[in-house]
Amino acid sequence: MRAGADSLQLQLPLACDPGRTCFVQYYVDRDPGPEARDFTGGSQTYDRHDGTDFRLASSVAAAGPLGAVRAAAAGTVLRIRTDAPDVSVRETGMAKVAGAECGNGLVIAHAESYETQYCHLAQGSVTVRPGQAVAAGQVIGHVGLSGATEFPHLHFTVRRADRPVDPFAIDGSAHPGRQASLWDEAVRASLRYRTGSVLNSGFSDGPVTMAAVEAETASPLRARAETLVAWVRAISLEAGDVQRLVVRGPDGQILVENQLPPLANPRAQSLVFTGRRRPAGGFRAGTYEATFEVVRGGRVVIGHRFVGTLP
């Protein structure tokens, strides 16, 4: 089966550059039982997850142009929600969002009994109303932190005749490369399957926490720093993955490194850091290079390099 010219063809529902400013965190769960598997047979999903989660590399960018949510296809708005607060479910608890897990969002009806739903939008950001016709690519809101979510992202669901459809594989199979897709060809190419990605990284002159990385408040690397810390946040890691972060000084010699034990379970996101206190003579001026690797089954599946400079 192949999506024909008269079938629904989806545009990217988020204003971003896949693989650079946004990433797919989770796919539709294709397993009918209590286990979970995505359309490739992989583990980048969880039990009964009915949509695709698009995550921005920068949470702060959710409030700006990169966080614009767009209609994936032309259609008519069926219903909206706009009044849910932008608060992590880690703070509120699931009981507070029961019945409104989608948070702020909307549903759009399309031809051939298709619908698309957009969840976790920012409070007050929905720009359309029920009954309004929308064009493909039209901005309809912005990414937020409403509903049952712990981080800003867009949960995008496709349904046909009230049943969830996986836009990456609409024929119901679970064999890599053989499925028909609802994505426009150019969009599909940009959304190639990634088994783990680096979301962001950097150097700091102080301790780094996940909260500071999320809010982009980690202190930068400065002259006369008391500590020199390199950090990396990776997503969609697999059980057994080994993460290693190495920092080299301006002379090319290893300054410090950190290798974590193999992951016991799949990890939605992981923050790795390593650093050193200021030596008696201070840190040498120049460029410090950090390399981050994820080794899976004896093979490097993620390699990432970044630098920081001390004047």
Side-chain angles (χ1 to χ4, degrees):
M1 174 179 176
R2 181 177 176 82
D6 57 346
S7 298
L8 184 70
Q9 294 288 285
L10 298 174
Q11 302 297 312
L12 192 65
L14 190 61
C16 64
D17 182 1
R20 192 176 68 84
T21 61
C22 67
F23 301 85
V24 175
Q25 178 83 64
Y26 293 119
Y27 296 87
V28 173
D29 176 21
R30 304 299 297 268
D31 189 281
E35 303 300 320
R37 58 174 178 164
D38 59 41
F39 74 102
T40 73
S43 63
Q44 292 189 48
T45 186
Y46 55 88
D47 189 30
R48 294 183 290 181
H49 188 244
D50 68 353
T52 305
D53 286 350
F54 291 94
R55 180 170 185 165
L56 291 164
S58 168
S59 298
V60 174
L66 288 178
V69 176
R70 306 186 296 195
T76 302
V77 178
L78 292 181
R79 54 189 180 273
I80 67 171
R81 179 189 292 272
T82 63
D83 59 354
D86 287 295
V87 182
S88 169
V89 73
R90 284 178 292 188
E91 298 181 31
T92 64
M94 286 297 295
K96 289 287 187 180
V97 297
E101 290 83 358
C102 177
N104 301 306
L106 65 152
V107 177
I108 300 175
H110 309 282
E112 303 176 31
S113 301
Y114 279 107
E115 294 179 357
T116 53
Q117 183 172 13
Y118 311 75
C119 294
H120 309 312
L121 274 59
Q123 185 175 21
S125 73
V126 177
T127 60
V128 293
R129 294 291 178 265
Q132 180 177 338
V134 294
Q138 179 177 333
V139 175
I140 54 178
H142 282 81
V143 172
L145 191 61
S146 61
T149 181
E150 296 183 1
F151 54 87
H153 73 281
L154 171 66
H155 175 92
F156 175 71
T157 298
V158 181
R159 287 187 288 268
R160 191 175 197 185
D162 293 326
R163 299 187 64 178
V165 174
D166 185 350
F168 288 88
I170 63 175
D171 64 358
S173 68
H175 301 285
R178 290 173 50 187
Q179 307 91 338
S181 167
L182 285 177
W183 297 112
D184 171 87
E185 287 297 325
V187 174
R188 184 182 188 186
S190 73
L191 292 176
R192 67 176 181 83
Y193 188 83
R194 293 176 171 87
T195 55
S197 302
V198 170
L199 203 62
N200 37 36
S201 60
F203 279 88
S204 174
D205 65 1
V208 178
T209 65
M210 187 68 80
V213 171
E214 284 280 0
E216 297 189 9
T217 58
S219 60
L221 191 59
R222 287 182 267 242
R224 300 192 62 78
E226 290 302 316
T227 57
L228 186 150
V229 178
W231 59 269
V232 178
R233 180 167 56 160
I235 62 171
S236 303
L237 301 182
E238 303 280 354
D241 283 355
V242 175
Q243 302 170 83
R244 182 171 184 250
L245 178 60
V246 178
V247 179
R248 296 180 183 273
D251 59 359
Q253 299 300 307
I254 292 179
L255 179 70
V256 64
E257 62 183 299
N258 183 17
Q259 179 169 306
L260 301 184
L263 292 175
N265 299 293
R267 184 76 59 85
Q269 68 174 348
S270 175
L271 178 63
V272 180
F273 53 87
T274 189
R276 171 163 291 185
R277 291 186 179 277
R278 176 185 175 90
F283 290 110
R284 180 180 297 186
T287 299
Y288 290 77
E289 177 185 87
T291 54
F292 173 72
E293 291 183 341
V294 174
V295 177
R296 180 178 300 153
R299 183 171 63 92
V300 176
V301 294
I302 299 176
H304 180 70
R305 173 186 175 274
F306 57 102
V307 299
T309 302
L310 276 176

